[in-house]
Structures are given as C-alpha cells and as structure tokens.
Amino acid sequence: MRILLLMLFLTFSDSSVMALEVDDLSVSCPAIMEEEKVPLNLQKFRGKVIYLDFWATWCPPCMKSMPFLNSLRNELVEQGFEIIAISVDEEPEDARKFLRQYPIDYLIAIDSTGQCPKTYDVKAMPSAYFIDRKGVVRYIHLGFREGDKEEIRRRVLELLAENEGK
Amino acid sequence: MMKILKDASNHTLLVVLCMTMSACSVAPWERGNLAKRNMLISPNPAHSSLRAHVFESKEASSGGSGGAGGGCGCN
Amino acid sequence: MAVTRVKKTGKATLLALSGAALTLPGIDVEAATPVAEPKATTQYGHYEEEGDRMKADVYHGDFILPLTDWFEFTFSFDQDTYVGATPYFSTPDGASDAISAASNVDPFSLGVSVIVENDDVKEGVRNDIRNRVIPPTNLNTETFRRLINSTTLDYSKPVQVIAAHPLESRNMPVLGGNFYWGPVTLGLSGGYSLEDDFDSTFGSSNLSWELNNKLTTLTAGFSLANNDITREAVRAGGPHDHSTGELEDFEATSKYRTFDLGFSQILTKNTLFHLNGSYIRQRGYLSNPYKLVNITGEITPEEYNEAAFGSGGSGSTWDAFTDLEVAGFELFREVRPEKRDIWVIATGLNQHIPSLDASVQFDYRFFMDNWDISSHTFELAWYQDLPYGISVTPNIRYYSQSSADFFAPFFRAPRSDGNYSSDYRLSDYGALSGGISVNKEFTKGFNLNVGFEYRTHKGSLKLGGGGEDSYADIDSYLISAALEVNLSSLGRSTGHESHHDKHAQHGGHLPAGVMFGHMLSQANEFMIGYNYSHGDWSDGYQNGTSENISDQELISKACDGGDCEFKAERMRMDMHMINFMYAPTDWLNLMIMPQFAFKKMEMEPLPNSIVTDGGYHDNTGLGDTLFGALVKIFDTDGHHMHMGAIFSAPTGRIDVTFDGFINSESQLQSFGMQLGSGTWDFKPSLTYTGSNGNWSWGAQAAGIMRMESSNKLGYVLGDEVQGSLWGGYKALDWLSFSVRNIYKSQGKIKGNVNRIIPVPFGQTAQLTTLENPANKGGQFWDLGIGVNFSVPGGEFAGHSLSVEWLQPVIHDVNGYQLEQEGTLAVHWGYAF
C-alpha cells in the first residue's frame, strides 16, 4: 500500500522542476574539471561562447562527434569559443582511460553522480547546450548525426558574432 | 537464489507499472549498463543465428529469437 | 542407439534433404537497432553428431554500412556444407532378420543397401531409392503374409536405419536496408537459400518504434518465403551411372508466412525485459521427400502377390493398391500435412549485476502448432566480464517437445488421415545443452568470439516423461569462432591524423593478383583483407602451345593408355580468401589466411563414348589454409624489400567424388576439382617495391615447394616457381593503374591416386582427361592490367579496393589441358 502511494506521489510530482530551458541563465553543477581538479564554474567563462556537451564512453554518437568538435574548437578558440564536455560515466576511470587513448584538446569535466545532467534535464545522449557570451542557454541540440555538423558550426559562429556583454 | 526469485516477482509488478508511470524511469544518462554488449538482446548476433540455425534443423520448433530495444538509447 | 543390419548390392546415391533447409533464417528476423558505425563480421562454425552421423561446416560473412544518417545497407552470405549419415526410416527390432530368415531374400532389397554394424555406419553405404519396386519372384501371397506377420519382431524396440548422405552445400545471400526516421526504424531484407533440392526466395520487413523516452520499444514484422523442392533422380548416381532405374522427378512448392509482434521495456538501469509473439503459416509440400516410413497393412499380401505376378508387371501396379509412393517392402515415402499453423511466444529478461560485473540472461519460449507439437525452451546465460576486455559466458539450455500426431517409429496400421512420419525430430523428447563462449574485445574495434556447446537429445529428457524410446537418442556438439571488425577509423582517433591516412597516400599500389606483397609498417597495426579470384577454362584444348586439339587426338593421346568417356568442356574456379595480418613489430608481420573455393566443371561425352548426356559437377568448401610471417629486409625512402615465409596447411578436401559420397568406393573427381593439395606446402617469396612521386614499380619472386612426397591419396602436386614484374601510376588521389608481367612454371603431378574404381561400363578407370596426372602443369606467361581505388582520408581512411585482369599471353602446357581464358583478381583491404 505504501509503495502504491509512493508511486502515485512520484508520478504526479514534477521531477524536472530544476531543469534548464532555452533562455535560462546557465548554472554550474557539481562536475570536476579533469585537468585542474576544481569544480566547474561557468561564471569564469562569461564573455565566451560555450558548447556544454554531455557525453559518455558508452555512447557511440558521442564518440563520433568528438573529432569534429575537437577541430571546430581549435579553429574557433581564438575567437572566444570553448567546449566543456561533461562525462556522465558512472565509473570516472572509464572516461579517463578513453581520454588517455584519444586525447582531446577542449575541456573535460567528470560527473559520475548524475546531478549535472539532472540539473540540465538532459533528454538524450549526447546533449549540447549552446551558451552565449552572457551565459544564457540559447539552443539545445539533442543527439549527433553526420548531418548536424553544419548546423552546429553555423550556430556557434552566430553566437560568436554577437557583441560581448557583461 | 531467493533474491533472484524475489526479483522475479518484483519485476512482474514493475513491468506493468513502468509502462505507465514516469516514476521508474531510467534517465538518458543512466543507460551505461544497458549499453554494455552483454545487456543487449543479442550480444553476439552471428553466434545466436548459428545456434538458432542448428537448433531449428534438429528440432521441430522455430522462431522466438531476436527483438529490438535496450541499448544506449542514443540519438 | 541400435541400428539394423541390412545388406545390399547395387549402387546408387541418396540425396537426403537436410532439415537445415526447412526453416530459414530469413523468416526469423531480428528487429534492427541502429548501428552508428560500419561493421563486418565473419564466422566459422562446425557441427558434428556422434558416430558417423552428420557433420556440417557453416561459413558466414556479413557487413553493415551506414550510408547516410537515415539509411544503412546490409549484406550477408552463409554457406553450409554437410556430409554424413541421417536416419532414413525406422522399423521394429528384428524386422530385417525375420524377413531374411523367412525368405532368404534381403527384406529391403527393393531399395535399401545400408551396411551398419554396432552403431557405426560402415563405408560403402549406398541407398538407391530410385529403383522401381521389383518384388522378388520366389515369394507368393503366403510368404508375404508370413513376412508381414512375423512373430519374431519386437515392437517395443524400434530400430533406426541410417543412410549415408553425399557432400552437399547450401548458399544463402541476403541483402537488406534499414531506414531511420526519429523513433521509427524500418528494416527490409530479401534473399535466397539455394541447395540442390531446395531453393527458397524470401523477404521480410519489420518496423520498430521507440517510445516513452526510448524505454519502450514496439516491433512488428512480416516475412514471406517461397520454396521450390525438387528431387532429381538423374544426378544421384552421377552422369555415368545409368545402370539403375530412376525415380520420377519430383517437384513441389511451399510458402511460409510469418507475422511477429514484439515489445521490450527497460525496467531499471540494470534490467531489460522483452516479449514477442509470432504466427507462422506454412502451406504446400512440407514433407521430406527422402524420408521413409514402415507401414503394415497399407498393402495386403494378396496385393503384393498381384504386384509381383499380376498382368501389369512391376512398378506400374502400385497405384491400384495405395496412394502413397512405394519405396520398398512395407516402405513408403513419408507424408506430412500440407498445412501447418504455428504459434510462438517468447520472453526474456536481461539483468545486470554491477557488484559482480556480470549480466544474466534468461529466455523462455513456448511453441505450438496444429500438428499437435508443442515445446518449451528455457535458456540461461551468465555473462561474466573479466579484465583485459575478456568476457566469459557459460550457458545452459533445456528443450522439451511433444510429438506430431502423425509421428511414430513405425505404423502397425494405416492412418485415416494419410499422414505419416518417422523423422525423430518430430518425436517426443527433451534436449539439454551446455556451452561456454569467450569474447575478447581488442582495443581497435576488433571483437573475437569463440564458443563451444554440447547437446544431448534423449527421449527420456522430455518434460513430464513419456518421451520416445532411446533408439533415436543422439549427442552432438557445435564449435564456433567469429570475428567482428569495426570498419570506421572514427572509433580510433579523435581528429589527430592517424597513420593509415598516410598509408593510403603512398605512391604505389599493389596489383590485386600479387599475394603477400604488402607489409604493415607500424607495430601494433592490424589489417584485414579479402581476396577474390575468378578463373575460367574453356574454348577447347591445347597441347604444349598448340591449340584447337581435336576430339580424336584427345581420345587417343590424352587418356592414360586407354579411352576416356568424357572431356571437360568448361571449368570455372572462384576462390575467396580472407587475410588477417598483425604487426607485432615494425619489421615482422604475422598472417593467417583461410580460403574458400567454388569449383565447377561441365563435361561432354567424347565421340567414342557410349554415354550420350553430359553433366556437371561442382564443389564448394574450405581450401588449404595459409599462415606465416613476412619479414622486412630494408625500407628506405622510396624502396622496400621483404621476404615471406608462408606455409599452407592441407585443410582443403582432396577426396571429393563424382557421386558425392566420401568413402573409398567412390570415383574421385579430377585433381583440379579438389579443394586443396593434400600436402603441407611452403610458399617462400621475395618482394621489392619502389616509388617516386606518382610512379611506382615492383617485382616478386615466389614459389610453392611441396613438403611431402605424397598426400594421403598417393600423389603430390608439382612445385611452382613464379616471377612477377609491375609498374604503376597514380592518376588521382584515390585512383591508380598498374601493368604487370607474370611468368609461372608449374611442375607435373608425381604419382597418381591410389584408388582406381572401375566404372560400370567402359574399359578404363578414367572418366575425363583431367584425371591423367600427365595433363597438369606447364609454363605460363600472362599480362596483368589493374586499377586501384583507395580512400585517402576521412571516416573510411585505410580502405582500398584493387581489381586486376590477367590475360594469358603464351601458355605451354604439359599434356592436354583446357585453354585458360583469363583470371580476374579482386582485393579489398583495410588497415587500422
């Protein structure tokens, strides 16, 4: 009986009350930056265009997107573009093992607790949040297919072209 | 052993309830274990087909294998 | 398992329909799940039953290629080659002995000649079910009555009569495509399953729909198969065997339709549940035209007497007494209903256990049909992950079925519905199997799976008891090895230029017909390659360099001291080779290369022959397996030289016969039609390649040295020496051309086969000119023209495809040989 009541409660409770949507200000969440070993702090990146990517080693389309994202980032980093990729692998060692074999130039963060994707209400794997120079989430891209490359590039360039604001 | 039997009866309940409620949802980022090769309905498709082929030649029954679902659920 | 001892003279062959063809994989479709990366799989399986029963080799290859974001192309090819013995019919114990004692005549003299002793099928087994029934003339109504009603028969102990089965192959190509639109996937596929007496054309479609945030998947599928069943009497004894009568040619068709629905649900992040149901509708000829049943009372003693001495003479009078096809004394062809409706429901659960790093899969299937058969299948598998990418999976399977209502080991009275079968696969029994499979995932997207499973089929294992007597019990095992390769370079690099990008940009390319000419230059590199070659010999005979040899000359000179009955009109050979290469260091490559051969020969009678019809033979199967090492001698800017120490293991059959039976009493096919050399051979080679800008060149000296003085049949193929010189030009980034000059010297065959079987007519043991060892070998000069396509960079970097045509320029052959038209060589390689 108690289980049934609990289930009814959970069904009607909105679990995504904290979720982020377009035009919301981006928030930090408890992911640890891999290189500096400090928590993710998006405030630091105000003024830059950020591509916040949620990925995992068990997600083949995520793997497929990486070479493209790496070269896009290297091409546009001078203009103020940065990619922060949060690994949601439950075993952080899986992500680290992968990165040792296939080094990435952009920033990697690890969150094995599931809190970051929950905060951002990640709906698919991979998910990318395009954050503009003011720190506002402007676009959310779900999944990754070959045909998405052009659109991603276009949107990043659009956001980079906007004036810096504080 | 007992735990497995207990899980089996719990699973039946879950099957019915999970189809309808969002409560026992598995989030997209929690599918790591389901994406493992060993959790696929057919972890080794060539091997499964070979076995099915042998059994169907030597028995009167056929079918029942295969299916889609599970996995990483990626886009 | 007890078997009866039955003797017989006379020769013929039995073409037994393997049950393998009766259910087709095209029907049993797996709903497609999206594949992000191109993948190829190759698998070898070997199935064997205890004693001298069935042995089968199963070869499989397939690939999945995503072509756009929403479309994926699939192709698969399977080949089964089987040989051995299968149950033919069963009788009460003592049936043959009783009849022999009563009448001094072989009981099944009308059609059976099986020699079986102590559960072993001896060599020299033949069955001629093609003979028309000719009852022995010393019997009369009374004797027939006594034979039928013999009191020495033990009806409680059925006994199986086993018949030998010639070597046969089944080929199945399947083509397909998967379309993805958001949560919906549509899979379409179609193909053929082809064997001598059963051809099937099938197609299937299935739809899958992901809902509920991809936690639930619904599937629906439909498939169709149209089958053509034949029984060819003529081919059974070979083109030369006209001494036996012929059964009527038999042609029938059947149609299968399958409808399935499936559902799967993710319950927790460690649990997956699935359920599916199918309805299969089979209509048409569903029996096995080679299996017999023993029925008492279908034909009365008076009717036997009438058939033997009545006015109609032998054979034509059976129709008056029975609707069934008579195959022997109290023996009739089995008859299964023309309609079969099948219902299947299957369910399973996959549970991951994180604390143990393991998963367990449980599956259950219930099957039932309108033939009164129902079965339960339970399977449990434990997938244990271990370090170093290894996974070990023990599994256990229990199967129990109840018999078809028209099944019985023998029938003591006719059935009113006219349906009869003694096929033990339709009986009441249980089967228990246990196996283990090991999976190793190599970091480069290479997955190797090796499995072994042992199965025991026993009447006593039936769930709830009541199973068939132990006469049909049999054990078998299955071993398999499969390799899965990820064909995309994306799994391996993340934008940093990978070494195989550079590979493809090397100045030169190797002509497709050059073997062992390419080495991997970096340690830890893998290469998988596929080679195909097609050779054609037709357009008349030549002797030395003289062409257009007349038939008269062939008759008088080409056959060893006597006459030949036939000449080969055309020969065709297709070889498929899969090459696996690994570089442990940058100067050493290790490789293994299994080969598969398809050979076909068409024969025509020579003018002096008493035979009037031609015919053809074909053989398919595993050839000799090559393995060895390539060692780099030097590699400087633009110049490279390496040597190869390759060995050939005699895994290819050399005992293929004209009538298909693998034993010492059958006439062997010619040397060129066998699948291997029968000896361990050494194949040394020295290769030099050079390049400068867009130009490249190379040379190779190679040979074949037979390491034994004779193979198990008493002969050894000649040694070979070959020299090759080529030049190439790279026209575009991805396209290059080559021209090649090849000289080959091939020695004669030494010795001859130690098995000479006199043919039923004619004076000689030779059938064709090809069996004379003097007609092998010679000196050959060919010119090769080739083209190569390679993928310089991007997702498919590392792939290359080469094609080369070898045109004979001057051939100086030993003895009399068919003229060679030319050879086509194709090579596809992928280095990573």
Side-chain angles (χ1 to χ4, degrees), chain C residues 406-426:
Chain C
F406 55 86
F407 167 84
F410 46 82
F411 298 86
R412 296 181 66 175
R415 283 175 59 88
S416 56
D417 63 8
N419 292 320
Y420 305 87
S421 179
S422 297
D423 189 337
Y424 77 101
R425 293 171 295 188
L426 299 179

Side-chain angles (χ1 to χ4, degrees), chain C residues 38-59:
Chain C
K39 199 163 67 130
T41 307
T42 177
Q43 176 176 256
Y44 167 70
H46 178 79
Y47 169 81
E48 196 164 318
E49 291 170 350
E50 61 174 311
D52 264 314
R53 295 270 290 265
M54 169 106 27
K55 290 191 221 308
D57 286 310
V58 183
Y59 306 103

